[in-house]
Structure formats: C-alpha cells, structure tokens
Amino acid sequence: MANLHQIQKGAALLKEKITRQLALAIVLLATVLISVSAYFIYSTKDDIKQQNKQYLSEIAVQNAEVIKNTVRMELDKIEAIANIIGSREKFDVDYALAVLKAESKRHSFKRLAYVPSDGNAVTTDDVSFNVLGRSYYKKALAGESNVSDRLTDKIGGNFINVYAVPLYHKGHIHGVIIATKDTNVLSELLKHNSFDGEGFSYIITKDGSPVVNTVHKNSLSSFDNLFDSMRKNHVDENLIAELKRNMALNKGGIFENDMSDVPKVLAYSSVGINDWFVISVVPKQVIAQNADRLINRNVTSAVITVIVMGALIFFIVVQNYKNRRKLEQLAYVDSITGGNNFNKFKLLAAEMIARNKGKNLYMIRIDIDNFKLLNDMYGFREGDEILVGINQLLSRMDSGRDLHARLSDDNFIWLVNCLTEEEAVSKIRQFNDAFQGTMSQDQKGYKLGFTFGAYKIHPKNMDVDKIIDRAAMAHQSAKLLHADPKVVFYDEKIRNDAIRIKTIENMMYDALANREFVVYLQPKYNVSTSTIEGAEALVRWVRDGKVIPPSEFISIFERNGFIVNMDMYVLEEVCRLQRKWLDMGLNPVPISINQSKSLVYSKDYVDKLYGVITRYDLPARLIEVELLETIIHDNVTELISIIRQLRRIGLLICIDDFGSGYSSLNMLKDFDVDVLKIDREFLNNAEISERAKYVLAQIITLAKGLKMIVVTEGVETEKQAGLLKELECDTAQGFFYARPMPCEQFEKLLSVPGGTRTFESSREDQLNHELT
C-alpha cells in the first residue's frame, strides 16, 4: 500500500513537472510567437508607411504633370488664337476683338483681351484695365508665353490666373493676347480620393505664397504663406529650411510635420511652370492606422497575430500592386489599343537595343494612308477598331523577339529583329498581306494602304529618339511613293535631304522679308499672229548672287504651308508691276499666277485676292488665276463657289495642266472658267501619234466651243508650233517662243509701239540678255 502511495505521489510529481514544463513551453512559444509577430508587425508597419509615402510622392508628381500639361494646353489654345489674328496682312483691332469674342464662346476662359504696347487691354467683356506693370504682360511682350501666379480679379474679387502669349504680326511682336481663368479650374484638377479621401493637394510658389488652395477638412483652410503658417504651428525650423532649399533647387521630397496639432506627411514636386510646387498631404495617422489596428488586435494571441498580419500583408501588397498597376496604366498603356504606349516602348526599346548592341535591329514607322478620311466617312469607332486590329496583328507577329507601340494617331512604331534589309522588307510585306487578308475576311467596304519608313540601327547610334527620328525621315520620303506597300529605308540621301529642307526652312522667312524671291515672266503668244497675249509669273530664289531653282524649294513650301506666303507675295509683285506699267502709259497684258491648294481653300481666300488688287487699283482682267487640275477634285462644290466669286470680281480663271491627272468632261462642264491650259504631254504625244493628235484637236475644239481660250504649254520646236497652228489653238507658251525672263526684259517687250512685239524679236532680246 505504501508502495502504491509512493507511486501515485511520484506520478503526481511527474505530471506536475510535465505540466510546469508544458506551461513553460507554451509561455516560451507564446512569447516567441508574440515577439516574432510584434517584430513582424512593426517592421511591416514601417514598410507600409514607406510605400504610402512613395505613393504620396507619386501623387504629387502626377498632379504636377497634370497641372503643367493643362497650363500648356491652355497656352497652346491662346497661341493658336494669336496666330489667327496675326496672320492677316494688315492688323485690325476690330478683327482681333471679333476673333477673341468668337473664341471666348468656344473655350472656358473668363475673359479674353488684346493688349497693345501701351498696356491698355481691349477685352471681350468691355472691362477696361491697364497691365503695363504686370510681369505676365512683360514676359509675353518679350516673346514668352506664360501664366501668372494667383491674382485677385478686379471684377468680382475672385482668385484668377492670367495666361499671356505674344501676338506676332509679320514676324514681330505686335502686342499680347491675355486670357483669365478662375483658379478653381486648377483646384478641381487636384481633387483626388487617395487614402480614403483623407489626402489633399494644393499649389504654392517657392516663397510659400499660395497659388491654389484647398477646402479639404484636414487642411489649412487658407494661408498667406505656407512657411509662416508652419512656424506658427511650431514646425521644426530645420525642416522648413530644408524644404525651402530643395524648392530653390527645383527638387521634390517628402517630410513629416505637426501642423495644426495633427501629424502629417507632406510630399512636394516641382510643376515646371513659374516657380510652382504641388504639395500633397495626408494625416500621418491615416498612413499608420492599418498597422496600428493590427497591433492592437493581436497582442493577446500570437497565432491570431500571425494570421491577421499575414492577411494584412497580403491586402497591402495587393493594394499596392493595384495602385502601381493603375500608375503604370496611366504611364505606359495606350488608351485605345491597350498595348504599350510610346513611353513604355522607349524604355523597352532602349533595353532591347542595348541587349543586342544595336545589331540586326530595324526601327520601322508605320502609318495608315488617308486615315482621317476613314474617320470622317465611317466614324471614330471604326477607326479605333482598325488601330486595335493593327496592334493585335503586330502582337501576333512579334513572337517575343520584336517590340511595338502606337506612336500617335494612326502611327505605329515597330522594332524588329532581322538579319538583312530583305528580311525586314519581307516582314513588312507579311504584315501588309496579313492585314489586307483580315480586312477581306471582315468584308470591309474599303481598302487601307500603309506607309513604312525603316532605319537599320548601327552600334554607334544607340539613342532611341535619334533612331525613331531617322525612321520618321524615311517615312516622310515613303509618302511620295505610289507603291503598295510604300517602303523606304533611311540612307544618307534622306539625311542630306532633311538637312537641306531644314536649311531652306530656316532661310525662307528672312528671304521673303529681304525680297530674295524674284518674279520672272514667261510670255504667252498668239499662235496665229505671234504677238504677246499674256505671261505666266514664275518665281526664282536669288540668294548671295546664286539662283535656287523652284524644284529645290516649291515642294518644301507646299508641305510646310509657306507656299501660301509665297503665292501672296507673287500676287503682290505682279500687281505692283501692272500698276507701274499702267502709270507708264503701257498697255499691259494679263499675267497668270499659280495658286496652291493651301491658299485656294484657306479662309477668306477671295477677299485676300480682292484686297490686294483693290489696293493697287487694277482692272481685275489683268490678273489670271491658275488652278492646278489636281486641286479641283478635292472639294468640287466649294471650288465651284470660289470660281464664281472670283469671276464676279472680274478675274480671269485658268485650269492649269489639263490632262496631267484624271481629267474628265465633267470638269469642263462644271467649271465656268476663261482659260484651259493643256499639259505639254498632250503636245509631245500628238507629234508621234495620230490618235493623240486627234484627242488634242477635239479638246481644243471642245474648249473653244465652251468659249474658253486654249493655251498649250511646253512648245519647244517649230514643228510643235506649226501643229498648234494647224489645230487652231489660240495661245502657246514654251521655250520655242521665249524662256522665263526678268520683269525688266518683259517690260521692254511691252514698250514696243503698238504693243505687238513678236516672238522672233523677243527671242533675240533674250539671247542678248543671256549673253550679257
């Protein structure tokens, strides 16, 4: 019995010992779990805080970019308005005000105004004020488009920003266009729901003055100077000094402070406009609250702490991932195709080029021919579907070795791995054929063509922007082709052409101002009497004693729009000559001037011509307007209206180069013109082909039956002149009769008594002129 009692007592002691050891183990385990969980929670809390601070910094940077882009777009709008006003030959304040009033209805500006050099504004709302001492006015008058800091509107007392751009007229600043907008417009751009609506942003200048305030519940409702407000709220002076130093260096940053007794985290980023900085703020407790809540809930249980902590970490990671994905979506994804945008393409392309050391890579620029017409005819939704389809096709063709993105509008950029140029061409054709096959399967009612410009990347040229520029140069050259598809590879000729074009464009405005463009006249002769009946005005560019032929610059002017300036210059010169000859008592003949498509379809075209002719007090019959056959098909209805207006003025109208394009009898039926100028190819063919001769004869007969004067150009031989006489053509023009000559030489022809100078004597004069 004693032994049993001892055994039971021993068992009890052992059980007690095991219990104590188990309890100790549980306590140790719980302590370890709690310690590990606490450490994990606290370290995670720091990570969360840092990630949220980074997110806050990204918000500040993004807001700064939004403000910058918005201000730039507003300035672009006003610059466009200023260009419209300044493009007129003669500056007119009433016209300027009319344009401003019209534009004020289209845009959300509070007021638009023209300000001359005296500073007295002419406004769209009849408010009078003087801005002579305003810095934004001074900057604009010095040639800098800019926006003011926050100002108080004298009318209504609201806060406003003033946008100011220089107004150029004939290459000189003639005044300033200003526009005002409520500062609230910028304030709306800064509203965001970050950190569950607890975050807010505002804009200040480097000296702390407010540009855009916020009415957020956590913010200072208003302040005159942020730094002064910080001092009043006992913010560490060292933090303020650091903030001011960074702003002075245009550096962004982030720091914590205790303004208004509420600890906050503040991120700041330079806007890049004036000395503005975006300040994005969130209460510190908002950043830390998730981690704090986790700690409070899990100090009693290590296991629960670990589980909750794991769930929270997962949640935070997912949220952070989503936030970053949203930012990447904005920064790197194309809004239409859903693929890479140009920014992402440049990053990936730089890596790909570096990885391949620039070998076996081709940069290809692609665009759709006449895409704007497709949008106009079928709508933007159809156009967007085409862009998505192109992106999908390029994705299927890339196979992980290539790279592509939508560049802009209907332009794509494609970086491909190819060993040779032939392989690159094959890949381009493969893309083109595949796309056309898709179009055929989808039974589209139209066909699309493509233009491709390609550049072979060399190891010495690794700069992505330069590589893309060279592909763009090749693309521009490809636009001139008539192949399917149109493909051009960059070479030195393209580079030299680009340099030549840039050189010409740098010189053209000065050349026009310095009257380097010289008008030559090529006489037109009556085929039967061999007497002068008119002349065509041609232009030569004489620079430093050397003549630049029209073939070197006319096509460039047509592409960049300067041809409008050139056409108006030639008209002015011809009118000046005609006026001079009338004053001399001579009997001038009509002089024809070529008119570009850009000018003919420009706003107030007829008024511009009438204004010049009226200024020189000329009989309108002395000016003949030559319209190229190729521009007639662009907008038949509008052109018919333009021709009627020109005829009402009394101008002679000529269809030039008839037969060079797709001429039709409808053209002769629809367009009531005075002169039909037949292209030289008709004459060349008529010499060797009876069929062509018959067609030429019928055109002459038909035109004369429609009361048109028939002019045949390109007459170079006596045989051709005899053929035209046989076919009873009215007028001829060409080297056989006279080459283009200086105006002084043509004036001698007009000076012959009776005005019946024949082509034999004119040729003799020209020969003498060339010999001397």
Side-chain angles (χ1 to χ4, degrees):
M1 196 68 181
N3 288 337
L4 180 60
H5 179 71
Q6 287 177 350
I7 293 171
Q8 289 176 337
K9 184 178 180 181
L13 290 173
L14 181 61
K15 184 177 180 181
E16 183 180 349
K17 183 178 179 181
I18 292 174
T19 301
R20 286 199 304 267
Q21 289 176 343
L22 182 59
L24 180 61
I26 291 173
V27 170
L28 288 174
L29 180 60
T31 302
V32 170
L33 287 174
I34 291 172
S35 298
V36 170
S37 299
Y39 170 77
F40 186 69
I41 291 171
Y42 278 103
S43 61
T44 302
K45 177 182 177 182
D46 288 339
D47 289 342
I48 297 169
K49 288 167 62 177
Q50 292 304 318
Q51 289 171 359
N52 279 282
K53 287 180 181 180
Q54 179 63 30
Y55 176 43
L56 184 64
S57 295
E58 290 170 353
I59 289 174
V61 171
Q62 185 179 352
N63 282 337
E65 191 66 20
V66 169
I67 294 296
K68 179 181 177 181
N69 291 340
T70 300
V71 170
R72 184 62 260 172
M73 285 191 293
E74 298 296 354
L75 290 174
D76 286 345
K77 290 177 187 176
I78 305 168
E79 286 174 355
I81 295 170
N83 289 338
I84 293 172
I85 295 171
S87 63
R88 286 174 67 94
E89 180 64 25
K90 184 177 180 181
F91 187 81
D92 185 342
V93 174
D94 291 337
Y95 172 75
L97 189 58
V99 170
L100 293 177
K101 287 183 176 179
E103 293 296 331
S104 68
K105 295 177 181 178
R106 296 177 53 216
H107 303 294
S108 59
F109 295 115
K110 188 174 183 181
R111 145 181 336 109
L112 282 165
Y114 160 66
V115 187
S117 57
D118 62 3
N120 290 318
V122 181
T123 70
T124 54
D125 55 0
D126 300 322
V127 176
S128 299
F129 53 87
N130 187 285
V131 297
L132 199 58
R134 293 289 191 177
S135 61
Y136 60 78
Y137 172 69
K138 294 177 181 178
K139 287 181 183 179
L141 208 56
E144 177 187 350
S145 296
N146 69 98
V147 62
S148 74
D149 293 337
R150 187 177 76 178
L151 301 174
T152 301
D153 194 354
K154 295 179 179 179
I155 309 301
N158 294 330
F159 290 133
I160 59 170
N161 298 103
V162 180
Y163 298 77
V165 302
L167 171 61
Y168 289 90
H169 182 251
K170 295 185 176 180
H172 301 287
I173 295 178
H174 196 271
V176 172
I177 298 297
I178 65 173
T180 61
K181 272 201 169 185
D182 283 334
T183 302
N184 288 338
V185 174
L186 297 179
S187 180
E188 287 294 320
L189 297 175
L190 297 178
K191 286 185 177 180
H192 52 81
N193 292 317
S194 61
F195 300 101
D196 298 322
E198 297 295 323
F200 58 93
S201 297
Y202 48 88
I203 301 175
I204 65 168
T205 61
K206 287 181 181 179
D207 64 3
S209 300
V211 178
V212 176
N213 264 338
T214 179
V215 294
H216 194 276
K217 62 182 180 180
N218 295 329
S219 71
L220 297 170
S221 58
S222 64
F223 57 88
D224 295 326
N225 185 281
L226 180 62
F227 304 134
D228 292 343
S229 295
M230 285 182 171
R231 291 187 183 96
K232 291 178 182 178
N233 285 275
H234 311 295
V235 174
D236 189 331
E237 191 65 39
N238 291 328
L239 286 177
I240 297 174
E242 180 185 355
L243 176 61
K244 295 177 73 174
R245 278 196 304 273
N246 285 345
M247 285 186 173
L249 296 173
N250 279 329
K251 289 172 57 178
I254 189 166
F255 72 87
E256 301 178 10
N257 68 84
D258 297 328
M259 286 184 65
S260 302
D261 298 324
V262 178
K264 296 183 180 68
V265 180
L266 183 150
Y268 54 99
S269 178
S270 173
V271 176
I273 294 174
N274 298 340
D275 57 353
W276 294 0
F277 270 77
V278 165
I279 310 291
S280 292
V281 185
V282 66
K284 188 176 179 181
Q285 66 178 23
V286 174
I287 291 180
Q289 65 184 359
N290 288 335
D292 290 340
R293 190 163 53 245
L294 183 65
I295 292 171
N296 294 333
R297 289 178 181 175
N298 291 280
V299 291
T300 58
S301 173
V303 175
I304 296 175
T305 300
V306 172
I307 294 173
V308 174
M309 191 63 191
L312 182 62
I313 291 172
F314 177 78
F315 172 76
I316 293 170
V317 169
V318 169
Q319 284 299 111
N320 189 54
Y321 173 77
K322 288 181 178 179
N323 290 337
R324 291 188 178 278
R325 286 289 294 171
K326 287 179 181 178
L327 290 173
E328 288 179 3
Q329 192 84 5
L330 292 172
Y332 296 128
V333 178
D334 183 76
S335 60
I336 293 178
T337 66
N340 293 333
N341 68 6
F342 186 47
N343 292 330
K344 185 65 174 290
F345 175 85
K346 287 176 66 176
L347 291 174
L348 297 177
E351 294 174 2
M352 183 173 171
I353 292 168
R355 190 167 58 247
N356 289 270
K357 297 181 180 179
K359 295 179 180 178
N360 305 328
L361 293 176
Y362 289 80
M363 188 71 77
I364 303 172
R365 176 168 175 151
I366 311 170
D367 91 322
I368 306 171
D369 300 333
N370 300 316
F371 187 70
K372 182 179 182 301
L373 182 61
L374 183 143
N375 273 333
D376 291 342
M377 293 178 64
Y378 297 97
F380 287 100
R381 177 176 295 180
E382 179 74 10
D384 288 349
E385 288 180 2
I386 293 294
L387 298 177
V388 171
I390 291 173
N391 189 74
Q392 291 174 343
L393 176 57
L394 290 172
S395 297
R396 291 195 297 272
M397 293 183 64
D398 283 351
S399 302
R401 299 177 65 244
D402 304 330
L403 188 64
H404 71 276
R406 189 172 75 95
L407 183 62
S408 63
D409 299 327
D410 60 316
N411 295 283
F412 285 78
I413 199 76
W414 193 17
L415 181 59
V416 298
N417 240 305
C418 293
L419 293 175
T420 64
E421 184 174 306
E422 290 74 16
E423 186 181 344
V425 171
S426 175
K427 200 152 194 172
I428 288 171
R429 292 190 180 280
Q430 181 186 350
F431 165 82
N432 187 67
D433 294 344
F435 186 82
Q436 302 304 344
T438 302
M439 294 283 288
S440 177
Q441 291 175 8
D442 293 343
Q443 297 182 336
K444 298 291 186 182
Y446 52 85
K447 186 178 186 301
L448 292 179
F450 292 93
T451 300
F452 301 86
Y455 170 66
K456 185 182 189 312
I457 300 173
H458 296 282
K460 292 183 179 180
N461 182 16
M462 306 280 278
D463 185 277
V464 176
D465 288 321
K466 289 182 179 179
I467 290 169
I468 293 173
D469 285 344
R470 292 186 176 181
M473 290 181 194
H475 173 266
Q476 284 298 317
S477 297
K479 279 185 170 292
L480 305 177
L481 300 180
H482 296 286
D484 184 22
K486 295 178 281 189
V487 183
V488 168
F489 282 78
Y490 176 89
D491 56 22
E492 283 304 306
K493 180 181 181 301
I494 290 176
R495 178 178 180 276
N496 294 334
D497 285 346
I499 293 173
R500 177 180 60 83
I501 290 170
K502 187 63 177 176
T503 301
I504 286 176
E505 289 181 335
N506 288 340
M507 296 189 301
M508 60 190 186
Y509 283 101
D510 286 341
L512 190 67
N514 297 333
R515 302 179 66 81
E516 294 177 10
F517 297 106
V518 179
V519 172
Y520 273 52
L521 298 174
Q522 185 174 26
K524 301 176 186 177
Y525 281 86
N526 185 293
V527 173
S528 299
T529 64
S530 297
T531 56
I532 294 177
E533 288 198 344
E536 180 180 3
L538 305 168
V539 67
R540 302 289 185 268
W541 187 350
V542 181
R543 188 176 184 87
D544 299 329
K546 298 179 181 179
V547 177
I548 303 175
S551 59
E552 287 289 313
F553 59 86
I554 290 297
S555 60
I556 297 173
F557 292 172
E558 287 175 342
R559 285 199 298 271
N560 64 25
F562 188 73
I563 193 68
V564 172
N565 305 59
M566 176 62 67
D567 287 349
M568 292 303 296
Y569 173 83
V570 172
L571 172 65
E572 189 91 25
E573 289 293 286
V574 168
C575 288
R576 185 180 61 80
L577 284 169
Q578 295 281 41
R579 183 69 264 164
K580 172 188 172 186
W581 293 336
L582 286 172
D583 294 342
M584 290 171 61
L586 301 179
N587 185 25
V589 292
I591 295 179
S592 61
I593 53 173
N594 292 290
Q595 303 284 270
S596 63
K597 178 171 70 174
S598 299
L599 178 59
V600 171
Y601 290 115
S602 66
K603 185 179 179 181
D604 301 328
Y605 164 64
V606 177
D607 291 341
K608 292 175 185 175
L609 265 62
Y610 182 68
V612 175
I613 295 169
T614 303
R615 188 165 2 108
Y616 285 93
D617 193 22
L618 289 180
R621 62 176 177 78
L622 291 179
I623 301 297
E624 181 181 314
V625 174
E626 288 197 6
L627 304 175
L628 282 171
E629 180 207 326
T630 51
I631 76 169
I632 287 174
H633 302 288
D634 287 348
N635 192 329
V636 173
T637 303
E638 184 177 355
L639 190 60
I640 289 174
S641 173
I642 291 172
I643 289 174
R644 286 173 180 166
Q645 295 176 60
L646 293 174
R647 287 181 63 83
R648 279 200 293 269
I649 295 172
L651 295 171
L652 299 176
I653 314 297
C654 168
I655 295 178
D656 193 11
D657 287 347
F658 182 82
S660 62
Y662 298 97
S663 308
S664 69
L665 295 180
N666 276 336
M667 180 189 301
L668 301 181
K669 172 179 69 70
D670 294 336
F671 295 99
D672 185 11
V673 300
D674 305 283
V675 181
L676 185 71
K677 182 181 279 191
I678 299 175
D679 186 71
R680 67 182 65 219
E681 288 303 317
F682 266 100
L683 181 60
N684 293 338
N685 294 333
E687 285 188 280
I688 58 176
S689 167
E690 284 296 323
R691 188 181 185 89
K693 178 181 176 181
Y694 178 79
V695 172
L696 177 60
Q698 296 309 308
I699 292 173
I700 292 172
T701 301
L702 178 60
K704 294 177 73 172
L706 294 172
K707 309 301 181 186
M708 296 180 186
I709 297 171
V710 181
V711 179
T712 303
E713 60 182 350
V715 183
E716 297 184 353
T717 66
E718 186 173 359
K719 183 179 178 181
Q720 289 177 333
L723 175 61
L724 292 179
K725 192 169 185 177
E726 175 190 340
L727 298 179
E728 298 183 356
C729 178
D730 299 310
T731 309
Q733 177 184 347
F735 286 0
F736 173 71
Y737 290 98
R739 292 176 178 272
M741 61 185 66
C743 297
E744 297 79 7
Q745 186 177 345
F746 187 80
E747 185 176 304
K748 292 180 181 178
L749 298 180
L750 294 180
S751 301
V752 173
T756 57
R757 189 65 173 253
T758 62
F759 77 90
E760 289 87 352
S761 53
S762 74
R763 292 174 69 190
E764 181 181 348
D765 278 354
Q766 182 152 345
L767 179 60
N768 292 334
H769 175 77
E770 291 172 352
L771 291 174
T772 56

